[in-house]
Amino acid sequence: MSTKLRKNVVTASCEKKMMTGSSMLVEALKEEAVEIIFGYPGGAILPTYDEIYKDGIRHILARHEQGAIHAAEGYARVSGKPGVVVVTSGPGATNVVTGIADAMMDSLPLVVFSGQVATTVIGTDAFQESDVIGITMPITKHNYQVRDVNELPRIIKEAFHIATTGRPGPVLIDLPKDVSLETGLFDYSKEVNLPGYQPTIMPNKLQIRKLVEAVSSAKKPVILAGAGVLHAQGSESLIEYVEQQQIPVASTLLGLGAMPGTHELFLGMAGMHGTYAANMAIYQSDLLISIGSRFDDRVTGNLKKFAPNARIAHIDIDPAEIGKNIETQIPIVADAKEALKELIAQNGLRGQNSVWNEDLKQLKQEYPLWYTEDPAVIKPQQLIERIYEKTNGEAIVTTDVGQHQMWAAQFFKFNKPNRWVTSGGLGTMGFGFPAAIGAQLAEPNTPVIAIMGDAGFQMTLQELSLLQEMNLPVKLVIVNNASLGMVRQWQQLFFEERYSNSLFPVQPNFVKLAEAYDIKGMRVDNVTDLDRAVEEMLNHDGPVLVDFRVAEKENVYPMVAPGAGLHEMIGVKPE
């Protein structure tokens, strides 16, 4: 996936002076213009927290380390800035592992500082010791353990550089307690010099020319836009190129918002729960241009049946992704925005695809996303539509993972970039609520709505304390179907309705739970109350939690079943 353009050699000017390691850490954060830290203190990281206290840098005290790192992910996703997390050793570090893996899969820039036991006892199973370097090596873009305080400034500068350039990702710095107390020379003026890490930003013009010629001769071209377009801040360039060449666009789950959801050339989301038009466009295409997408299995379906008649062009800043899952005829390693700018500048002849565009327009009209309304019960799709309509599509939406996530992706049209915050690759339950907190801190004046399942919400609900403490106006929408909805759907379709541990007949009173945190709580059971409740929720100045009781057996359609191709969707039309 691609990212915003940034120089590979970074310089900074600051005063050189003697200070402790913990002072260096805080001073380096100021040099990097860090405005917010998410974290949780503990013994091994106390020297750093003492410096945070002295300096006054804003710190968000999550109620669990997983909440801290998911909030940092939400902040990074919306702001484009690196999310910074500070936790202690042992369980503090292991509690952020899920968030680190999530950020790695979804290419989110994080810099995580974990406290560590003193260097003199590392390897002795000391109190609250864990091998965080070994644990996180497979799930970080890079990680460090600091053994010399004089190396700390260089390491921090490299960490921010690595996290935010090329394909973004998480970088971890493990800081032993004795190193944080030692004194050394703070010099943040040196250049970042990493000969082995030089991301390719600019595209090869010969390869761009090959793609221009391929577009000119194509009759059925389609673009698959992924999150790399968003990381590159390339949405405007994508729109300009698409309109120049009149190429229809499908989106990955994480690419939603790169192309306006209401644009006439936008086909919708592709993949397992994508639109019929998007999936058929990919299946029938003669030229598929993937931009900042890694051809995830939920997008491709059966690889043997994926785009069988198409030449594949793949634009990606990570060369390891090109050809990894799908054989590629036109590989272009580059930042997505830079590649799009070069394609626009080439201004190649349009392909003869006017008939193709009309055919796809007809498919969109004939096979829209659908659901059947029921006067006796709220349909979850109906709920998402109401939220979209009453916010005019202007809200930032975060989600957990499961049915509600897919309904939100289907029925909320994202017309702006960085308004959709969800866990894609790892599929992390408990992500949506703390991510909404980070998103709201990144965009204080934009409505933020966390759409969650009743199960996922209960994994990180302790972060309600943050809404209470800061009066953040996050709106919490529980799409309550009293089950692990997607698990239940798969058990119904593929396991002969054996609902093994996927149903929740007993639940907490979510309204009383909200009230325990001095947060407005509501429960909505009837369709007749739906519009009023959504309006009341949105109009309330502070945080609100609404428990929407929806149809418990509603399934997400359309769907590409496991092993099927994109053209073999089920549930395309109402039964």
Side-chain angles (χ1 to χ4, degrees):
M1 295 184 183
S2 46
T3 185
K4 58 189 176 184
L5 185 61
R6 174 171 165 161
K7 292 180 181 179
N8 285 326
V9 176
V10 178
T11 60
S13 59
C14 63
E15 183 182 352
K16 301 177 184 179
K17 50 187 175 182
M18 299 299 291
M19 59 178 68
T20 64
S22 54
S23 297
M24 288 181 182
L25 192 159
V26 173
E27 191 66 26
L29 295 183
K30 291 161 63 177
E31 289 289 330
E32 293 290 343
V34 172
E35 298 172 344
I36 298 177
I37 303 169
F38 301 88
Y40 204 98
I45 200 68
L46 279 184
T48 296
Y49 269 86
D50 194 46
E51 291 301 322
I52 292 171
Y53 178 86
K54 293 174 185 176
D55 185 82
I57 191 169
R58 189 177 187 188
H59 179 280
I60 305 302
L61 177 61
R63 298 317 193 248
H64 189 283
E65 290 89 351
Q66 185 176 355
I69 197 163
H70 290 330
E73 288 185 273
Y75 177 86
R77 185 70 177 81
V78 171
S79 71
K81 303 173 184 177
V84 177
V85 180
V86 181
V87 294
T88 195
S89 64
T94 57
N95 280 345
V96 296
V97 167
T98 296
I100 293 172
D102 190 273
M104 187 68 175
M105 291 283 277
D106 289 351
S107 303
L108 294 175
L110 298 182
V111 178
V112 180
F113 295 90
S114 59
Q116 183 56 277
V117 300
T119 56
T120 53
V121 292
I122 288 177
T124 67
D125 293 330
F127 177 68
Q128 290 193 333
E129 179 188 2
S130 64
D131 179 12
V132 69
I133 294 298
I135 291 168
T136 62
M137 189 172 291
I139 56 170
T140 50
K141 194 174 177 185
H142 195 60
N143 62 15
Y144 300 85
Q145 186 174 81
V146 187
R147 292 299 186 108
D148 181 349
V149 69
N150 293 293
E151 295 294 309
L152 184 56
R154 173 188 62 80
I155 287 172
I156 295 175
K157 179 174 280 192
E158 287 180 5
F160 276 90
H161 177 67
I162 293 169
T164 56
T165 56
R167 179 179 179 174
V171 178
L172 179 135
I173 299 174
D174 198 35
L175 182 61
K177 187 173 184 178
D178 56 334
V179 175
S180 70
L181 291 168
E182 290 171 358
T183 300
L185 179 65
F186 180 75
D187 182 0
Y188 215 67
S189 63
K190 294 181 181 178
E191 297 180 348
V192 171
N193 183 22
L194 298 170
Y197 175 71
Q198 299 291 327
T200 300
I201 304 299
M202 305 305 295
N204 182 295
K205 292 191 177 182
L206 290 177
Q207 293 300 96
I208 290 287
R209 191 65 207 168
K210 285 182 182 179
L211 179 52
V212 169
E213 292 170 356
V215 169
S216 298
S217 61
K219 294 183 178 180
K220 297 181 178 182
V222 65
I223 289 172
L224 178 63
V229 177
L230 296 165
H231 294 313
Q233 300 176 5
S235 295
E236 291 183 5
S237 297
L238 175 65
I239 296 166
E240 184 177 351
Y241 177 65
V242 165
E243 292 179 345
Q244 180 194 83
Q245 296 296 321
Q246 290 295 296
I247 302 175
V249 179
S251 171
T252 67
L253 174 68
L254 291 178
L256 290 171
M259 187 75 181
T262 55
H263 197 286
E264 63 178 0
L265 288 169
F266 185 63
L267 302 172
M269 183 176 68
M272 178 172 283
H273 293 293
T275 66
Y276 185 73
N279 283 347
M280 290 305 294
I282 291 173
Y283 180 73
Q284 296 176 357
S285 66
D286 62 7
L287 175 65
L288 174 59
I289 307 169
S290 173
I291 308 177
S293 166
R294 59 189 179 84
F295 289 119
D296 174 80
D297 60 289
R298 290 296 174 100
V299 169
T300 64
N302 189 323
L303 288 174
K304 294 179 180 178
K305 301 177 181 181
F306 181 75
N309 302 312
R311 292 181 70 189
I312 306 294
H314 192 170
I315 300 170
D316 206 297
I317 202 164
D318 186 352
E321 292 296 347
I322 297 179
K324 185 179 80 174
N325 295 328
I326 300 292
E327 185 177 349
T328 302
Q329 286 75 47
I330 307 175
I332 300 173
V333 179
D335 176 88
K337 183 176 182 178
E338 295 303 314
L340 285 163
K341 285 166 60 177
E342 186 61 31
L343 287 168
I344 293 165
Q346 292 266 355
N347 195 19
L349 293 173
R350 290 183 186 175
Q352 299 176 352
N353 61 308
S354 57
V355 174
W356 167 247
N357 286 3
E358 285 300 314
D359 289 344
L360 293 178
K361 184 177 180 181
Q362 189 68 23
L363 276 183
K364 286 174 64 177
Q365 294 173 350
E366 289 185 18
Y367 300 96
L369 294 167
W370 64 272
Y371 65 93
T372 304
E373 291 191 15
D374 186 335
V377 66
I378 299 170
K379 289 298 184 75
Q381 305 95 322
Q382 187 180 21
L383 169 60
I384 304 299
E385 278 192 331
R386 292 296 187 276
I387 294 171
Y388 169 72
E389 291 164 0
K390 294 190 180 297
T391 60
N392 296 314
E394 293 296 321
I396 294 171
V397 174
T398 73
T399 77
D400 272 343
V401 172
Q403 287 183 314
H404 68 277
Q405 177 192 35
M406 293 298 105
W407 286 317
Q410 290 177 335
F411 289 93
F412 199 103
K413 298 178 180 65
F414 295 93
N415 285 324
K416 294 181 180 179
N418 304 322
R419 291 293 181 267
W420 170 240
V421 183
T422 195
S423 173
L426 196 65
T428 305
M429 292 178 66
F431 172 90
F433 175 27
I437 293 171
Q440 189 73 82
L441 291 168
E443 290 280 353
N445 298 319
T446 303
V448 175
I449 301 171
I451 299 176
M452 307 162 294
D454 48 287
F457 172 61
Q458 293 184 72
M459 289 192 170
T460 49
L461 62 80
Q462 72 280 345
E463 305 309 330
L464 286 168
S465 283
L466 287 179
L467 299 191
Q468 178 186 24
E469 177 184 322
M470 296 185 286
N471 196 36
L472 289 176
V474 175
K475 314 307 181 191
L476 305 179
V477 173
I478 301 177
V479 184
N480 193 338
N481 54 13
S483 67
L484 292 166
M486 193 62 83
V487 174
R488 185 208 55 76
Q489 177 170 334
W490 279 54
Q491 288 172 336
Q492 176 188 339
L493 297 177
F494 309 120
F495 294 90
E496 299 178 337
E497 301 187 21
R498 292 186 292 274
Y499 299 121
S500 176
N501 294 285
S502 61
L503 306 180
F504 291 113
V506 177
Q507 290 188 324
N509 185 321
F510 290 112
V511 174
K512 288 186 177 181
L513 179 67
E515 291 172 351
Y517 288 91
D518 296 325
I519 293 169
K520 180 180 177 65
M522 301 161 56
R523 172 171 166 163
V524 184
D525 299 274
N526 301 314
V527 176
T528 53
D529 296 328
L530 179 59
D531 285 354
R532 175 198 57 76
V534 171
E535 289 178 359
E536 185 176 345
M537 174 186 74
L538 295 173
N539 291 333
H540 185 70
D541 287 338
V544 184
L545 183 153
V546 188
D547 179 10
F548 288 97
R549 298 299 175 113
V550 302
E552 294 185 359
K553 295 185 178 180
E554 190 76 3
N555 287 337
V556 182
Y557 289 120
M559 180 180 184
V560 178
L566 294 184
H567 63 299
E568 297 171 317
M569 304 185 78
I570 60 175
V572 174
K573 282 192 171 184
E575 296 176 358

